[in-house]
């Protein structure tokens, strides 16, 4: 993998070395079950408690608002289903979901539809975002829940979470923001964002895979997610994955500390890549927001061909999101932004990370240019 230029950080990131070191004792010596009352268990619980405090502090939340999960997908499922079912018991059965949500949310929307909820999909602009006026048009007295991600995983487009949350709350609806793609790149302050629930996932910010958080604002009632154990205040049973929780907290703290430098680096990497590939005709950028995510359409070149050839040359990029990349379906995000299915199949996602150098990115850009020219028969 040493010669590979990895430009797929929106899919996942490598584990940070400092995070790994923090996790190792909990994979070896401190093996206790955090719920066991003896000293071995208490040692593990101490680590969980301090991780919960650290996560709460990083997000400007309270420790009892932090629920550890197995990642973004689980947090999203819990928020959407748990939020909607709890509201449904109060007679609210209308759910609004942006058309560009991650499949973890779209799957739940379909389940709610099958359960008789009235689910509507909020349209996005051609830059892939959603304004408050659009949300206002869809809100109703019986709206139970509004789900709009904070940053999109395919385009990096940003959403005005604070305003959207305020509009939803003013109507009596809960607001859930999937912050999985925001967390690696911007500070998350739950008070400033104003969401009732938000999700993050450690492997997107150099933490371990299979570790996530669902923040649930105090006072917000959602349904129990996993039964059979009293962990996570009785709402999400199951023995806690202590090393993962410790790693998540460490990675989140480190991300927050290094955020200004990382943001500057992402801007420089994006600019270097765009400068290098700008010799090509027929390029256009889809959406705009996070500098670390660049969704590029290469007119006339199919993304599966481009991906395959780039991979052979040692450059790793994606078409759409990681989970959708093996499928032949055009991206629902890009078609919601107004691209035709053919155009959507000409788009690739390049996402930069902290271990990339400008030199690597320029080299990847040069390979990109060569591959596109070869596919177009220009060389
Ligand atoms: N939400 C968004 C916006 C994502 O990008 C992802 C991962 O790609 C997820 C949710 C799912 O997170 P996880 O991989 O931790 O299950």
């Amino acid at each position: 993998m040493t010669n590979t230029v990895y430009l797929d950080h929106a899919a996942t990131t490598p584990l940070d070395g400092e995070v790994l070191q923090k996790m190792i004792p909990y994979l070896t010596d401190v093996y206790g079950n955090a719920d066991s009352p003896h000293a071995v268990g208490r040692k593990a619980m101490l680590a969980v408690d301090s991780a919960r405090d650290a996560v709460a502090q990083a997000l400007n939340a309270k420790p009892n608002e932090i629920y550890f999960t197995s990642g973004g997908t689980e947090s999203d499922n819990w928020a959407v289903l748990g939020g909607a079912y709890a509201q449904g018991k109060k007679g609210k059965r209308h759910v609004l979901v942006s058309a560009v949500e991650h499949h973890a949310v779209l799957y739940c929307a379909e389940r709610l539809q099958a359960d008789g909820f009235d689910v509507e999909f909020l349209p996005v602009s051609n830059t892939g975002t959603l304004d408050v006026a659009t949300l206002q048009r869809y809100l109703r007295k019986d709206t139970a829940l509004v789900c709009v991600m904070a940053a999109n995983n395919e385009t990096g487009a940003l959403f005005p979470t604070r305003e959207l949350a305020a509009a939803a709350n003013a109507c009596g609806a809960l607001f859930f923001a999937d912050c999985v793609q925001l967390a690696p790149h911007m500070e998350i302050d739950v008070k400033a964002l104003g969401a009732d629930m938000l999700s993050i996932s450690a492997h997107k910010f150099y933490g371990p895979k299979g570790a996530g958080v669902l923040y649930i604002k105090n006072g917000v009632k959602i349904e129990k997610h996993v039964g059979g154990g009293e962990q996570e205040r009785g709402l999400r049973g199951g023995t806690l994955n202590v090393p993962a929780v410790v790693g998540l907290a460490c990675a989140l703290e480190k991300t927050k500390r290094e955020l200004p430098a990382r943001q500057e680096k992402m801007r420089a990497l994006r600019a270097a890549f765009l400068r290098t590939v700008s010799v090509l005709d027929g390029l256009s950028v889809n959406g705009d927001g996070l500098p670390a995510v660049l969704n590029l359409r290469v007119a006339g070149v199919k993304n599966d061909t481009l991906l395959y050839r780039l991979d052979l040359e040692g450059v790793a990029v994606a078409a759409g999101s990681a989970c959708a990349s093996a499928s032949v379906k055009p991206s629902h995000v890009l078609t919601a932004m107004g691209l035709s299915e053919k155009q959507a199949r000409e788009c690739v996602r390049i996402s930069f990370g902290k271990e990339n150098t400008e030199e690597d990115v320029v080299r990847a850009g040069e390979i990109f240019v060569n591959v596109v020219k070869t596919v177009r028969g220009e060389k």
Side-chain angles (χ1 to χ4, degrees):
M1 299 287 260
T2 43
N3 283 329
T4 299
V5 185
Y6 182 75
L7 299 178
D8 197 12
H9 294 81
T12 196
T13 55
L15 186 67
D16 181 276
E18 193 183 320
V19 175
L20 173 64
Q21 289 311 316
K22 264 269 161 63
M23 290 171 68
I24 285 174
Y26 300 95
L27 289 159
T28 52
D29 303 343
V30 191
Y31 52 80
N33 183 324
D35 293 299
S36 300
H38 46 62
V40 182
R42 283 201 308 273
K43 239 178 166 176
M45 187 43 101
L46 268 180
V48 171
D49 285 346
S50 84
R52 201 183 304 279
D53 289 347
V55 170
Q57 198 177 351
L59 302 179
N60 193 21
K62 299 199 177 68
N64 68 355
E65 295 174 314
I66 303 301
Y67 294 81
F68 291 117
T69 68
S70 67
T73 301
E74 186 190 329
S75 295
D76 287 4
N77 270 247
W78 186 8
V80 181
L81 298 175
Y85 290 138
Q87 291 278 85
K89 286 185 175 158
K90 296 187 219 157
K92 294 189 168 216
R93 297 182 67 82
H94 177 232
V95 173
L96 293 172
V97 176
S98 98
V100 295
E101 291 300 297
H102 188 270
H103 284 286
V105 170
L106 294 179
Y107 160 80
C108 298
E110 282 167 20
R111 254 186 74 177
L112 291 173
Q113 264 175 332
D115 281 352
F117 278 80
D118 179 6
V119 179
E120 286 189 280
F121 294 91
L122 298 162
V124 295
S125 66
N126 59 5
T127 56
T129 189
L130 174 77
D131 57 24
V132 186
T134 305
L135 173 61
Q136 302 270 21
R137 284 205 305 278
Y138 282 80
L139 281 167
R140 303 192 322 219
K141 276 209 193 89
D142 64 337
T143 306
L145 174 70
V146 177
C147 308
V148 182
M149 63 201 335
N152 184 266
N153 48 303
E154 294 190 31
T155 63
L158 294 166
F159 294 78
T161 305
R162 188 194 182 101
E163 290 78 9
L164 296 170
N169 286 168
C171 203
L174 292 178
F175 187 86
F176 166 59
D178 174 334
C179 292
V180 168
Q181 294 291 339
L182 191 73
H185 306 295
M186 289 173 76
E187 185 161 343
I188 295 185
D189 177 330
V190 297
K191 305 260 169 7
L193 288 178
D196 296 299
M197 297 176 278
L198 60 83
S199 57
I200 62 171
S201 173
H203 76 100
K204 306 290 184 179
F205 47 86
Y206 310 94
K209 289 165 182 60
V213 163
L214 180 64
Y215 155 83
I216 309 175
K217 196 198 282 181
N218 275 340
V220 169
K221 296 269 176 290
I222 76 169
E223 294 280 283
K224 180 196 205 91
H225 179 50
V226 181
E230 284 310 304
Q231 291 88 354
E232 301 305 271
R233 287 172 289 284
L235 295 179
R236 195 265 186 190
T239 301
L240 272 173
N241 183 347
V242 181
V245 160
V246 167
L248 180 148
C250 176
L252 187 64
E253 280 183 312
K254 187 166 183 179
T255 297
K256 190 169 175 171
R257 238 178 13 250
E258 294 184 352
L259 215 45
R262 288 192 197 173
Q263 286 168 338
E264 198 181 315
K265 180 166 187 177
M266 295 308 116
R267 277 192 288 272
L269 294 177
R270 180 193 184 91
F273 188 85
L274 276 173
R275 236 183 356 258
T276 312
V277 299
S278 64
V279 294
L280 291 169
D281 295 328
L283 288 188
S284 48
V285 176
N286 300 307
D288 195 15
L290 296 174
V293 182
L294 174 64
N295 194 301
L296 214 50
R297 179 175 161 229
V298 190
V301 177
K302 284 172 84 175
N303 55 13
D304 52 357
T305 310
L306 188 51
L307 235 75
Y308 173 70
R309 292 204 177 216
L310 285 171
D311 189 33
L312 287 178
E313 301 285 336
V315 178
V317 304
S321 62
C323 348
S325 56
S327 77
V328 288
K329 278 193 189 159
S331 150
H332 68 285
V333 173
L334 299 174
T335 50
M337 289 164 64
L339 271 72
S340 68
E341 293 198 353
K342 177 180 175 293
Q343 289 170 333
R345 285 198 172 92
E346 297 172 342
C347 298
V348 289
R349 178 188 69 187
I350 296 129
S351 47
F352 307 102
K354 72 183 174 92
E355 83 288 359
N356 290 142
T357 64
E358 208 161 312
E359 203 184 2
D360 285 343
V361 163
V362 168
R363 186 158 61 86
E366 287 166 355
I367 294 171
F368 191 94
V369 169
N370 277 330
V371 167
V372 170
K373 284 187 174 170
T374 306
V375 175
R376 281 178 172 165
E378 291 170 8
K379 16 182 339 173

